[in-house]
Amino acid sequence: MNISAAAAASGLSSKTIRYYEDIELIPPASRADNGYRYYDVSAVEQLRFVHQARLVGFSVAECRQLLELQSNSQRHSAHVKSLVLEKCDQLEQRIEELLQMQSMLRDLASRCSGNEGPDCAILDELGRGSAHE
Amino acid sequence: MNISAAAAASGLSSKTIRYYEDIELIPPASRADNGYRYYDVSAVEQLRFVHQARLVGFSVAECRQLLELQSNSQRHSAHVKSLVLEKCDQLEQRIEELLQMQSMLRDLASRCSGNEGPDCAILDELGRGSAHE
DNA sequence: TGTAAACCTTACAGCTGCTGGAAGGTCAAG
DNA sequence: CTTGACCTTCCAGCAGCTGTAAGGTTTACA
């Protein structure tokens, strides 16, 4: 399997796969006679693993940890689970932040008449820097 | 007002203020005789403006737009308002994404026994790359 | 057989939005 | 007169890729 097929199968881009190899997130791919990277089923599975982990919000560093756990038969599943729950909490926090920002924006928007004139409560408010603190 | 006082008054760091000047987001600060940057009330207000805009989710490029609008007496407040509402929508989208990620994580966590053993549904699932698609 | 498109390779630059550090000048307190 | 806290510039680095250049290979088709 060439890199672009592996990309299609894993959901990553070829570029990203090379990049992950570069930063040693994943081991160097084996090579065909012509020097092309070659991926077997288990290599693709690893790519998919990383892709999924990234999708649910793990950083590359955290993916490294997860891959280590995956290859460590001495692992405790409790450890893995705690990483997942921790990430969950982080997402929760981030969501709260975004909701905060959104409510500030909605508040700003509600104060602005939104017409052809230049008077704008949004610009005024931003300059005042209150932001309800 | 020195840069650190301006920083304290605006909520930005000195570093960030210099950076914003560097990328020409804000005009070059005036200088005292000793070469130190000097900020008056209106300069500080501009800094605060940018800080607030960043806080509610505007990118630096968008801040540039907002500053232009602020200094443009021909502006229509409707234009400003639409930028704010658009940003609101973007936040909404991002929040949805994070919620999605969170629900995938919760689902993964629920499948994992979380004990001393190595068997872990999370690692299995990530490798399978299903992610409920 | 030729050639053009579609792959593959490496290497390096750039993106966003800062932050840290080095090397040096200035200023206020004791 | 020294010490510490400012200030200055400039350059490097963080995450996590993505784009581009310059070249080699393979495949399809005329």
Side-chain angles (χ1 to χ4, degrees):
Chain A
M1 212 175 194
N2 268 349
I3 196 169
S4 64
S10 67
L12 295 168
S13 73
S14 304
K15 268 283 188 204
T16 301
I17 294 174
R18 287 193 204 97
Y19 170 70
Y20 284 166
E21 183 179 322
D22 224 58
I23 62 171
E24 294 176 78
L25 174 62
I26 53 175
S30 40
R31 300 287 182 142
D33 289 351
N34 56 12
Y36 287 15
R37 284 177 185 78
Y38 178 85
Y39 297 86
D40 61 18
V41 181
S42 76
V44 168
E45 192 187 316
Q46 193 170 45
L47 294 175
R48 213 157 29 206
F49 183 94
V50 174
H51 179 54
Q52 290 304 316
R54 293 286 297 122
L55 274 186
V56 294
F58 287 105
S59 70
V60 167
E62 287 161 343
C63 288
R64 227 178 272 272
Q65 248 192 96
L66 288 170
L67 285 170
E68 261 166 48
L69 282 168
Q70 199 191 28
S71 68
N72 174 9
S73 56
Q74 300 300 297
R75 73 188 166 237
H76 295 183
S77 72
H79 186 179
V80 182
K81 189 168 184 173
S82 82
L83 288 177
V84 166
L85 291 175
E86 192 188 334
K87 182 54 64 183
C88 232
D89 287 353
Q90 287 169 20
L91 284 180
E92 186 63 44
Q93 261 196 42
R94 185 65 187 143
I95 290 166
E96 292 299 330
E97 284 170 18
L98 295 187
L99 285 171
Q100 250 291 63
M101 288 156 60
Q102 210 186 24
S103 98
M104 293 194 282
L105 282 174
R106 286 208 220 281
D107 185 65
L108 281 174
S110 75
R111 294 162 191 265
C112 173
S113 51
N115 58 25
E116 310 281 287
D119 289 352
C120 180
I122 296 169
L123 297 177
D124 295 350
E125 279 292 315
L126 289 175
R128 242 193 299 288
S130 62
H132 302 293
E133 296 165 88
Chain B
M1 210 174 196
N2 269 350
I3 196 170
S4 64
S10 67
L12 295 168
S13 73
S14 305
K15 270 286 191 200
T16 301
I17 294 174
R18 287 193 205 99
Y19 170 69
Y20 285 165
E21 185 179 321
D22 222 59
I23 61 171
E24 292 176 78
L25 174 62
I26 54 175
S30 40
R31 300 286 181 140
D33 289 351
N34 56 12
Y36 287 15
R37 284 178 184 78
Y38 179 85
Y39 299 86
D40 61 18
V41 180
S42 77
V44 168
E45 192 187 316
Q46 192 171 44
L47 293 175
R48 213 156 30 206
F49 182 95
V50 175
H51 179 52
Q52 290 303 314
R54 294 286 297 122
L55 274 186
V56 295
F58 287 105
S59 70
V60 166
E62 287 160 344
C63 288
R64 229 178 270 273
Q65 249 191 95
L66 288 170
L67 285 170
E68 262 166 47
L69 282 168
Q70 201 192 27
S71 67
N72 174 8
S73 57
Q74 300 299 296
R75 73 187 167 238
H76 295 183
S77 71
H79 186 179
V80 182
K81 189 168 183 172
S82 81
L83 288 178
V84 167
L85 291 175
E86 194 190 329
K87 181 53 61 183
C88 232
D89 286 355
Q90 288 169 19
L91 284 180
E92 186 63 45
Q93 261 197 41
R94 186 62 187 144
I95 290 166
E96 292 299 329
E97 284 171 18
L98 295 187
L99 285 171
Q100 251 291 64
M101 287 157 59
Q102 210 186 26
S103 97
M104 291 194 284
L105 282 175
R106 287 208 220 279
D107 186 65
L108 281 174
S110 75
R111 293 163 192 265
C112 173
S113 49
N115 57 26
E116 310 282 286
D119 290 353
C120 178
I122 296 169
L123 297 176
D124 295 350
E125 280 292 315
L126 289 175
R128 244 194 296 288
S130 61
H132 304 291
E133 299 164 273

